Amino acid sequence: MNKRSGIESKKRILDVAMRVFSEHGYEKASMRAIAKASGISIGGLYIYFKNKEDLYLTLIKSRLDDLAEKTKETLKDTKDPAEAINTFISTHLNYAKRHKELILIQGREHGFAFGIDMKKKFFKSQRSLMEDIIRKGIRMGIFGKCNVKESAKIIINVMRGFVLSIVVESEALFSPEECSKLILHGLLRRNNR
Amino acid sequence: MNKRSGIESKKRILDVAMRVFSEHGYEKASMRAIAKASGISIGGLYIYFKNKEDLYLTLIKSRLDDLAEKTKETLKDTKDPAEAINTFISTHLNYAKRHKELILIQGREHGFAFGIDMKKKFFKSQRSLMEDIIRKGIRMGIFGKCNVKESAKIIINVMRGFVLSIVVESEALFSPEECSKLILHGLLRRNNR
Amino acid sequence: MNKRSGIESKKRILDVAMRVFSEHGYEKASMRAIAKASGISIGGLYIYFKNKEDLYLTLIKSRLDDLAEKTKETLKDTKDPAEAINTFISTHLNYAKRHKELILIQGREHGFAFGIDMKKKFFKSQRSLMEDIIRKGIRMGIFGKCNVKESAKIIINVMRGFVLSIVVESEALFSPEECSKLILHGLLRRNNR
Amino acid sequence: MNKRSGIESKKRILDVAMRVFSEHGYEKASMRAIAKASGISIGGLYIYFKNKEDLYLTLIKSRLDDLAEKTKETLKDTKDPAEAINTFISTHLNYAKRHKELILIQGREHGFAFGIDMKKKFFKSQRSLMEDIIRKGIRMGIFGKCNVKESAKIIINVMRGFVLSIVVESEALFSPEECSKLILHGLLRRNNR
DNA sequence: TATGAATGAGGGTTCATTCAT
DNA sequence: CATGAATGAACCCTCATTCAT
């Protein structure tokens, strides 16, 4: 009814869809509900998005791109690898806390490979970012020798676990500071007196 | 009209359901499909399980109980905290790899709080197990001082992330050894030669 | 499990079924529920009754026969037609109040002609009983001239309406005395000074 | 994919539903059957009615409102209470004969209180209409003294019984004239010559 | 562009009835 | 006689998607 620019409508739909998807999960979120909450007709949805999956994927992609962008941005002028780890972790954790919906990314509701390539690509790039940091740390003599690839994977996975715990048990949320500390120093006591 | 013992049928259903749920996710897994794959009629399913949710929850609970049992068992005669960490991690990671379906546990499908109490309870108990290990390590002077609770949370979350990566990007799987190493030693170089 | 005589079991089933049918209606009453409440296996039900319909019909018939018997009994030595009307009405109304389940008789849940012949037969016989009373009253000069058949029908229908109101709106229940009075005297004022 | 106006479709569904419900009863009437007979898809039914119950209730309400309206209309300019009784009875009986489906109103299907409030309200209002008539008759000295409320109840119940007999045994139908006569004059002979 | 009525496959679930034990 | 696991058709309802307007 309201005359809106196409772009505006599309953005509006995406915003609403994020909310609806994160509230009900992919399967239970209905196009009808998204349409209604967007103030757009059902048919209207299909003007902007090929189908439900397309809408969902577009959504996820935009969020993932956003986080990737943010990460790169923040890391840009961090020289110290230890601090970079710190920054990386807190950026991710805070982003996750702010956009709980991201959990959806991981949701395993639909059969395999549902926008999975996109997600893989995202995680891969984040992993390689982390690898760079670690490698640099080792090169600079700040970090001990270790399997760079494996370590990067592990750290990325901590973040992934964090996202999950937002949903499953909020009391499991941990602080970015403690996380950095553990990742950097480990549990074992440093016997340097 | 095959006559099978009730127990046999129930077990058969649970096995098949695990497969179907993990293949399609909760929402997309249909009772029809489970029935067919079980070689049991649709109505037959409802003899053993009140409804779909009941079937799902029973499933998850058995797996969770199993892992909890296994963990406790393995940890029983481990004296060294560092080794305990090691054992804990490899037990979980290997279990997850063997029972990829466990991912379901984490799925954020259907509205909130869907068997979530059960899951919370499980994670809480695992967390407290981990806390005990860390506390013991500190008391013995093997681990450095740290926020026990936070550290436990983080370690548990690494495991959680691992489970997820099984689905999302198998190349992100990491080795239990490297994981223990990172958790124990941290990234920073030990400056005691 | 318990060894019971067949007759005893059959009676037990009928009693329970009456309760269950009247609580849930024919369609919603399940054989399973009747079996459970009877303490008899599902299969057991089918030993005594061909099927659900058979069970229902047997039930209704027994109640109807019971009421018919009771009516005849009570009327046997009533000489005065006016008193007979009185007796007839209060017998029916009280029976209905005591056995609310009778409503089922009228329940129109299933397609036409579901034990309808039996019901017709019952009402026909009650009607002819009433006709006899009225005819006798006219013959004796106590009742005024009227269409006997029509009047009988109407009176029977008052009873039928009463049964219904038990379910639909209990506040519509009326007293047998007032009913007899209306039927006998009518609304118009008697201008015999 | 026939495009019909919403109102047209809704009306069409209601008409068909009335037929189907009255033919099979609420429980046995299936949405599929109603859809098919309406020339509308199953899903289409749910555009206009929230669910089966809603469809049923809407149906009943419209009929009840219709009859209530008709009654009031007809009674409006009837001055003589005796004639009013006459009118009231024949209006109801004729309406019932024309719309046999009204029986549904009374059906005791599904658990208690299923649109029962609506029905109660209807009957209550009809009852109070009848009470007014009777009271007026007494005041005018045309009717004898009697318990107004009870009498009204009884008369309403005659009508109710009539509706039922349409289904159970059509030969029990009686004429409005005879009914009015009985209600007005009673069975007893008037002893004023 | 935009609408929303219409579709229809498919979902979870129930239940009368059968039959091997 | 008695049991109750098993069957499968049928029920109500949802929802992504289409298309005449």
Side-chain angles (χ1 to χ4, degrees), chain A residues 141-184:
Chain A
I142 294 175
F143 292 170
K145 284 234 159 81
C146 70
N147 185 322
V148 175
K149 278 179 180 300
E150 289 289 296
S151 300
K153 281 181 197 173
I154 295 165
I155 296 171
I156 295 290
N157 271 296
V158 179
M159 245 124 291
R160 214 177 277 202
F162 181 86
V163 165
L164 255 193
S165 49
I166 289 177
V167 179
V168 181
E169 31 156 18
S170 47
E171 69 251 48
L173 292 177
F174 47 81
S175 76
E177 294 76 29
E178 284 297 328
C179 186
S180 302
K181 200 184 140 203
L182 178 63
I183 296 295
L184 290 173

Side-chain angles (χ1 to χ4, degrees), chain D residues 13-156:
Chain D
I13 294 171
L14 280 171
D15 282 349
V16 168
M18 182 90 271
R19 215 186 60 227
V20 176
F21 274 133
S22 77
E23 239 165 66
H24 302 97
Y26 179 82
E27 296 294 348
K28 284 256 173 170
S30 78
M31 292 301 266
R32 249 177 201 63
I34 295 173
K36 192 174 227 171
S38 305
I40 277 180
S41 69
I42 296 180
L45 254 37
Y46 290 86
I47 296 172
Y48 300 103
F49 303 95
K50 210 160 62 22
N51 50 32
K52 193 183 178 183
E53 180 175 337
D54 182 32
L55 171 51
Y56 172 76
L57 257 28
T58 305
L59 209 55
I60 298 303
K61 185 157 174 23
S62 85
R63 285 296 202 263
L64 252 27
D65 286 352
D66 188 23
L67 175 52
E69 177 62 28
K70 206 157 274 169
T71 313
K72 217 169 272 177
E73 188 78 14
T74 324
L75 246 37
K76 211 171 44 193
D77 16 56
T78 310
K79 295 283 178 271
D80 177 16
E83 198 198 315
I85 295 275
N86 226 311
T87 306
F88 188 97
I89 291 178
S90 64
T91 302
H92 276 74
L93 262 42
N94 287 327
Y95 191 90
K97 242 191 288 195
R98 218 189 311 287
H99 300 281
K100 301 182 192 247
E101 327 81 41
L102 250 196
I103 307 137
L104 284 167
I105 299 168
Q106 327 264 14
R108 192 220 160 301
E109 325 179 314
H110 28 67
F112 275 104
F114 187 84
I116 220 164
D117 282 343
M118 184 183 69
K119 296 169 191 173
K120 273 188 181 178
K121 213 175 121 191
F122 170 76
F123 285 116
K124 197 170 176 177
S125 90
Q126 296 304 91
R127 222 161 57 226
S128 102
L129 225 54
M130 179 52 67
E131 287 171 12
D132 289 346
I133 298 174
I134 299 177
R135 245 189 303 269
K136 188 174 167 197
I138 298 177
R139 213 170 34 239
M140 289 171 68
I142 295 176
F143 293 170
K145 283 232 159 85
C146 70
N147 185 322
V148 175
K149 278 182 179 299
E150 288 288 295
S151 301
K153 281 183 198 171
I154 295 166
I155 296 171
I156 295 290

Side-chain angles (χ1 to χ4, degrees), chain B residues 27-88:
Chain B
E27 297 295 348
K28 284 257 174 173
S30 79
M31 293 300 267
R32 261 169 192 69
I34 294 173
K36 192 173 226 172
S38 304
I40 278 178
S41 69
I42 295 180
L45 253 38
Y46 289 85
I47 297 172
Y48 300 104
F49 303 95
K50 209 158 65 18
N51 50 33
K52 193 183 180 185
E53 179 175 338
D54 182 33
L55 171 52
Y56 172 75
L57 256 27
T58 306
L59 209 55
I60 298 303
K61 183 156 175 25
S62 85
R63 285 296 203 264
L64 251 28
D65 286 351
D66 187 25
L67 175 52
E69 177 63 26
K70 206 159 272 170
T71 313
K72 216 170 271 180
E73 188 78 14
T74 325
L75 245 39
K76 209 172 49 191
D77 16 57
T78 309
K79 296 284 176 272
D80 177 16
E83 198 198 316
I85 295 276
N86 226 310
T87 305
F88 188 97

Side-chain angles (χ1 to χ4, degrees), chain C residues 167-179:
Chain C
V167 179
V168 180
E169 32 156 17
S170 47
E171 70 250 47
L173 291 177
F174 46 81
S175 77
E177 293 75 28
E178 286 296 329
C179 186

Side-chain angles (χ1 to χ4, degrees), chain C residues 65-81:
Chain C
D65 286 351
D66 186 26
L67 176 52
E69 177 63 27
K70 204 159 275 169
T71 314
K72 217 170 272 178
E73 189 78 15
T74 325
L75 245 39
K76 210 172 44 193
D77 13 59
T78 309
K79 295 290 177 261
D80 177 14

